Every structure is written in C-alpha cells, then in structure tokens.
Amino acid sequence: MNLDKMFQQGSYRLLLETLAKHRNLRKVMIPFIEKKMYPSVINSDTTGPRQVQEDKYAAAVAMLHSTVRSVDRGIVSKHVLDRMFDVYLDNLMMADRGKLSETWGYDPPSFLVVSPGKLCNLHCTGCYACSDSSAAAKLDFDTFDRILTEKEKLWGSYFTVISGGEPFLWKDNGKDLIDIAAKHSSNFFEVFTNGTLINEETAKRLEQIGNLTPAISVEGFEAETDQRRGKGVHRRILKAFENLRNAGVPFGISVTGTRNNWDIVTSDEFIDYYFNEQGVTYGWLFQYMPIGRKHTLDIMVTPEQRFEMLKRTFHIQRDLKAFIADFWNSGVLSDGCISSGRGGGYMYINWNGDVSPCVFVPYSTHNIIDVYRNGGDLNTVLDSPMMQKIREWQKSYGYLQPADKVNNWFCPCPIRDHHGELLKIIRECGAKGIDPEAEIALNETEYHEGLIQYGKDFDRLSRPLWEEKYVPRKANETRKLEPVK
C-alpha cells in the first residue's frame, strides 16, 4: 500500500477508512498521517499567528488519537463509521468554504445551535437555560424542520448542535429528536444531554441513524456530578455510557468548570477515567457563565484558575493526546469568537424561536417564528444590526487579520472578556433578554462591573503569554515554536 500516493492524490477518505478498518496498519499509519497533516494545517493560514496553527495541529492530532482509541476498543460500529465518513468527512471536513463564499457573496456560518425544547427531567444548580420538568416551551416540528433545511440550503451547513432543556425529551407531531436527525441525514448532529434517557433502545436507534453523537454532562466524578445534578445521576450516566459502547455509538462529555471543580475536571485522573476507562472520544469544557438560574459571579473560575486551566488544556491535548477543548480558553483553535453567524461560526435558536448571537449571550432582537411569518429566513437574522455589529467587533479584534493585528485570543468572548463592548451593542440594538434572569441581569450595575473587571484581570494574566508566543517578532528576530507551557 503506497500511503504517500494516497495522500498526494487527496484520497483522505480512503486513507482514513483504511486506518479505521485495519488495526494492524494503525501503528504505521498514525505517524504517517500526523507527519502529512502538519504542513497541511500549518499552511492553511499563512497570515495569522503561526503559533495558532501549531495549536490547531496539536488539537487535530489529539482528536485523531482519541478517535483511534475508541475504534481500537471496538465501541464504534461499522455502520456508524461508514455514516461518519459519509456525513462528517465528506460534507463537513471536505467542504470548500472558499467556493461557498464566492457563491453566496459572504462567508456563511458553519452550523447552528438549536434548543428545540426547554423541558428537562433534572433541576441542576445554575442551569443556563433555567430548565425543569414544568417548562413546556418548545419548537414545533415544522419550524424545527425548516430551520435545518434552510441552513443547509442557504449556507451549505451540514453540522447541527442540539442543546436544551433535555433534547431527548423533545417531541412534536409524533416525532422525536432521533426522527428529525434521521430525516436530515446529510447533517451531523452533536447533542448536549444529561444522558439519563439514553437506554438500550435509544442507543440502538442512534446506531441505526449513525449521524448523531451525544455529549453527556458531567461535573467531575460521582460526588461532583451528583452534587449539582442530583443523587444517583452519575450512576445513570455510566449506564448510558455502557449502552452507547454496546451499541457502537461514539460519545463525548460536556463539563461545566467552576471555581469549586476546575482542578478536578482538568486533572490527568479525570482524563484517564473518562477517556481511557469509559471510552469517551471527545470533551468540551464550558467554564460556568453567570447567566440563567440564580446567576452569580461567585462560582465563576477565578482569573488565576482560568489561566491554570488554559495551560492544563494544552497539556491534555499535547501530552495525553485526548481531545478536550475549553470554550473560552481554546479561542486560538477557532480564531477567536465564533458567535453571531461569523464565517465558520454559528447563531443560537431557543425553544421560543428567539435567535441569539450565542448560547451564552441571552439577548435577542429577532424571533425566527416571527421572521418566517413575515416572509424572512435565517439570513434576515444573520443580516440584523446586532449580529453585524458583533461581527465587526470580531474583525476589529483580529478575525481574518494579519498576525500583527490579532489581539489576545485567550480572551475571545464578548460577553465574558469584553463585557462593556457587548453591553453597548445590546443596548444600541434594543435587544431583550430571552428569559427573566437575562432581563434582570441587564439592569444589574454590580453584575456588569464585575464582568468588566474580570475581563481586564484575565487579560492582564494571559497577555504576557500571548505576546511571548503569538505576537510576531521583528524581521531580524527568530523564535522557536513550541508547546505552550
């Protein structure tokens, strides 16, 4: 088998299929793929900070190793692998975004986050969505279906993230979440779920459709998870893991980091337990954001803790070869903030149809149900003043800019790291809170002052590292590129 020829001919799918299906070849193929990936990733952006591309390469290698570990264990079925190649690789990874930009005249969003229902069977402390068992608000099937159809037609978008509420409780017109994922078989779905409803039957249905992966929420180990989510929840999560492994469905974890558990969820022991013992393929780390139920700044990770989390995330990716990304600290992997329908980014639609720039920006100027009723579409919201103003801020901060114009992407978030800037846009555009808690927060002076100071403090801590590793030096100076420590 001539691996070089396969790579030169662009036969990425054949190469990866061979890797997935022939265990005896993996030891040879993985180093080869890593070597060939390097110039491809590094040269994909020749204008931005070179160290950013080094970080993206390390994350891609971690994802490769995480996926191979799951395949090695035999916990990914052949059907799911085939569907992942069909949907994830062909539609997502190989899509020519440049041609899409030429076709539509703009760089379209890559995906949407949709929370089709607010209903949840748990009542977690600090829930960003204020969900519980009495919250019945939901999108109807036709609206949900139209959103998914439209984003593919308008943007060439084949990736959809589902949140909630508890997504597996959503049902309308006799159809549930798995039914709608099956209908939109050209899309790959990532579903953020508490995992307690993934029984054997549900896991088998997920294997049959093959285009949905659950990201299951944990807060650490059993004690930390049960403390926030309820007694016995962690044991139910482990049963969901078992059901998914037995069915051959790859799954991930979603972790909320607070000042009380940050060190646990970024520890080597945590990674070993979930990735090596439980068979997790990927992880997302969301630092607690003070929105939603009983929002408070008091359990946010401190700036000092966050800086240590940043360094630990690099260690997990590079040294442990496990893919876990921090929604804020890993801003280098996404070229900064990805909200507001930025090219390659996303917008958020909730159960009431409210469209927000981001899951963690609970303010809206448009409702998709009203937009549809008035003859508009997703582009109506994409072109709205609030979305445009935030995208202008993203560009001013460094998106699509040359390396010497890129600001500190360790502080990528408008609401968390540059709160004053976002607050100004929200007020200028007359945005309203999508829930009572957001409206209350909008008028809390202490809340705004606290977040503004938080952003300044973290920038002060992280900027020296950014300037040392990422800011271009003078032409006559050289610097060794190396992992961030």
Side-chain angles (χ1 to χ4, degrees):
M1 180 179 296
N2 191 325
L3 298 179
D4 274 302
K5 186 176 181 180
M6 290 171 64
F7 202 92
Q8 290 166 6
Q9 290 176 341
S11 302
Y12 302 112
R13 172 166 179 159
L14 178 58
L15 190 67
L16 292 173
E17 283 183 328
T18 303
L19 174 70
K21 296 176 181 179
H22 298 277
R23 183 169 187 167
N24 59 324
L25 295 177
R26 287 178 202 147
K27 288 186 178 181
V28 175
M29 293 181 69
I30 290 176
F32 172 83
I33 292 174
E34 288 183 18
K35 182 179 178 181
K36 294 297 183 179
M37 279 172 54
Y38 184 79
S40 177
V41 174
I42 295 300
N43 295 327
S44 64
D45 181 357
T46 58
T47 59
R50 169 67 180 270
Q51 184 65 51
V52 167
Q53 299 308 114
E54 295 279 345
D55 296 342
K56 291 178 180 179
Y57 171 72
V61 169
M63 188 72 240
L64 174 66
H65 281 262
S66 292
T67 303
V68 168
R69 278 194 295 269
S70 294
V71 174
D72 273 346
R73 288 186 61 171
I75 56 176
V76 182
S77 77
K78 180 182 182 301
H79 178 248
V80 169
L81 274 174
D82 288 339
R83 291 289 289 132
M84 288 178 69
F85 285 122
D86 289 340
V87 180
Y88 189 80
L89 186 65
D90 290 351
N91 289 349
L92 292 174
M93 301 302 291
M94 298 306 175
D96 190 333
R97 305 298 294 179
K99 287 185 178 179
L100 291 175
S101 300
E102 293 174 8
T103 300
W104 284 295
Y106 58 88
D107 192 7
S110 290
F111 66 105
L112 278 177
V113 178
V114 183
S115 291
K118 190 177 183 180
L119 187 65
C120 187
N121 58 325
L122 301 182
H123 191 88
C124 303
T125 303
C127 174
Y128 84 95
C130 301
S131 297
D132 58 38
S133 60
S134 63
K138 66 178 180 179
L139 292 175
D140 63 84
F141 179 88
D142 290 342
T143 300
F144 193 10
D145 180 53
R146 178 174 175 179
I147 289 168
L148 298 178
T149 301
E150 207 167 75
K151 76 183 189 68
E152 182 175 337
K153 178 182 177 181
L154 293 177
W155 303 336
S157 168
Y158 297 97
F159 182 45
T160 306
V161 176
I162 304 295
S163 188
E166 170 47 51
F168 287 106
L169 282 174
W170 178 85
K171 194 170 186 178
D172 186 65
N173 199 27
K175 303 291 185 180
D176 63 15
L177 184 68
I178 299 176
D179 292 321
I180 205 164
K183 180 177 181 182
H184 293 270
S185 59
S186 60
N187 262 250
F188 191 81
F189 292 82
E190 181 177 34
V191 177
F192 287 89
T193 170
N194 62 44
T196 60
L197 303 178
I198 302 178
N199 54 27
E200 291 182 8
E201 179 185 356
T202 298
K204 289 177 182 177
R205 290 181 66 201
L206 293 177
E207 193 277 337
Q208 289 167 2
I209 63 171
N211 65 328
L212 189 155
T213 176
I216 299 174
S217 298
V218 297
E219 312 298 329
F221 298 104
E222 182 175 17
E224 296 80 22
T225 300
D226 284 3
Q227 181 179 21
R228 185 180 185 210
R229 298 186 169 270
K231 186 174 177 60
V233 169
H234 192 262
R235 288 198 300 274
R236 295 168 71 184
I237 289 171
L238 295 187
K239 182 59 178 176
F241 288 170
E242 180 183 351
N243 293 335
L244 292 165
R245 289 194 301 266
N246 290 341
V249 178
F251 58 93
I253 51 173
S254 172
V255 188
T256 302
T258 72
R259 69 179 56 184
N260 301 316
N261 73 345
W262 71 273
D263 53 338
I264 294 172
V265 299
T266 54
S267 68
D268 288 11
E269 293 78 12
F270 177 84
I271 298 301
D272 181 61
Y273 176 74
Y274 283 103
F275 282 79
N276 296 327
E277 291 187 35
Q278 295 299 325
V280 163
T281 300
Y282 61 90
W284 299 107
L285 179 56
F286 297 93
Q287 299 167 35
Y288 168 78
M289 183 68 202
I291 61 172
R293 181 180 296 135
K294 296 182 180 179
H295 61 270
T296 175
L297 274 62
D298 294 340
I299 61 173
M300 290 175 65
V301 293
T302 67
E304 292 76 15
Q305 291 170 343
R306 178 176 168 183
F307 190 57
E308 180 61 28
M309 290 173 70
L310 184 155
K311 293 185 286 185
R312 290 191 184 191
T313 303
F314 280 122
H315 159 67
I316 291 168
Q317 292 174 356
R318 287 182 169 86
D319 301 329
L320 304 184
K321 297 292 192 297
F323 181 83
I324 190 165
D326 185 320
F327 193 77
W328 286 280
N329 281 344
S330 298
V332 292
L333 302 182
S334 58
D335 297 337
C337 171
I338 59 173
S339 76
S340 307
R342 191 203 83 178
Y346 81 105
M347 299 188 298
Y348 171 58
I349 302 175
N350 77 355
W351 42 82
N352 290 321
D354 298 316
V355 189
S356 300
C358 172
V359 174
F360 300 102
V361 178
Y363 299 97
S364 176
T365 61
H366 286 68
N367 182 284
I368 197 62
I369 297 171
D370 293 336
V371 168
Y372 287 161
R373 188 180 296 121
N374 293 323
D377 56 25
L378 287 173
N379 281 345
T380 304
V381 187
L382 185 65
D383 294 336
S384 67
M386 182 166 71
M387 300 295 183
Q388 289 191 40
K389 285 179 180 290
I390 295 175
R391 292 199 297 269
E392 289 169 3
W393 177 85
Q394 291 165 342
K395 288 185 178 180
S396 72
Y397 199 70
Y399 176 59
L400 295 180
Q401 301 300 315
D404 61 342
K405 302 295 183 183
V406 177
N407 217 313
N408 181 4
W409 275 341
F410 294 142
C411 300
C413 179
I415 191 169
R416 188 183 182 92
D417 300 321
H418 307 275
H419 189 77
E421 298 285 344
L422 182 67
L423 184 61
K424 180 181 177 182
I425 293 173
I426 289 171
R427 288 174 170 166
E428 284 178 350
C429 297
K432 303 297 183 183
I434 63 175
D435 56 49
E437 289 282 354
E439 277 296 307
I440 292 170
L442 198 55
N443 297 302
E444 290 181 341
T445 301
E446 186 177 350
Y447 173 84
H448 299 306
E449 290 177 347
L451 279 173
I452 289 170
Q453 187 60 50
Y454 183 95
K456 292 178 179 178
D457 290 344
F458 187 68
D459 181 70
R460 174 180 51 80
L461 280 175
S462 60
R463 184 165 291 275
L465 178 61
W466 175 264
E467 292 181 348
E468 176 191 354
K469 299 287 186 180
Y470 296 83
V471 176
R473 302 291 179 87
K474 296 178 182 178
N476 62 345
E477 290 183 305
T478 59
R479 163 178 53 178
K480 181 181 178 181
L481 293 167
E482 55 187 16
V484 174
K485 299 292 187 181

